[in-house]
Amino acid sequence: MTQGRSIGKHLMQYVLDYARQQKFAGVRLVQAAYNSSSFSLYTKLGFHVRESVAVLKGTTLQL
């Protein structure tokens, strides 16, 4: 098991450093709300909640 070994933190830091080096305007992150451990990591890395996004699944209505 690799959870809790800072691998995700190092990967995210690499991505953020790369974005900075490439002078990207910003980095947008979309994350599942139920995953509180990743939410904590992203907050510690400086991400802020801007908006909620909903994903709806199902078949379309046949009208």
Side-chain angles (χ1 to χ4, degrees), residues 1-48:
M1 181 129 191
T2 58
Q3 193 167 2
R5 294 185 169 178
S6 299
I7 293 171
K9 179 181 177 183
H10 290 295
L11 288 170
M12 283 301 300
Q13 193 59 60
Y14 178 86
V15 169
L16 295 173
D17 291 343
Y18 179 81
R20 222 173 272 115
Q21 291 171 357
Q22 298 299 310
K23 299 184 180 358
F24 291 166
V27 176
R28 177 176 284 213
L29 176 69
V30 178
Q31 185 245 331
Y34 68 85
N35 192 335
S36 59
S37 59
S38 66
F39 186 79
S40 174
L41 167 64
Y42 302 141
T43 302
K44 289 176 187 174
L45 289 171
F47 285 89
H48 302 281

Side-chain angles (χ1 to χ4, degrees), residues 52-63:
S52 297
V53 178
V55 176
L56 305 175
K57 293 183 180 181
T59 56
T60 60
L61 295 175
Q62 301 299 316
L63 301 177

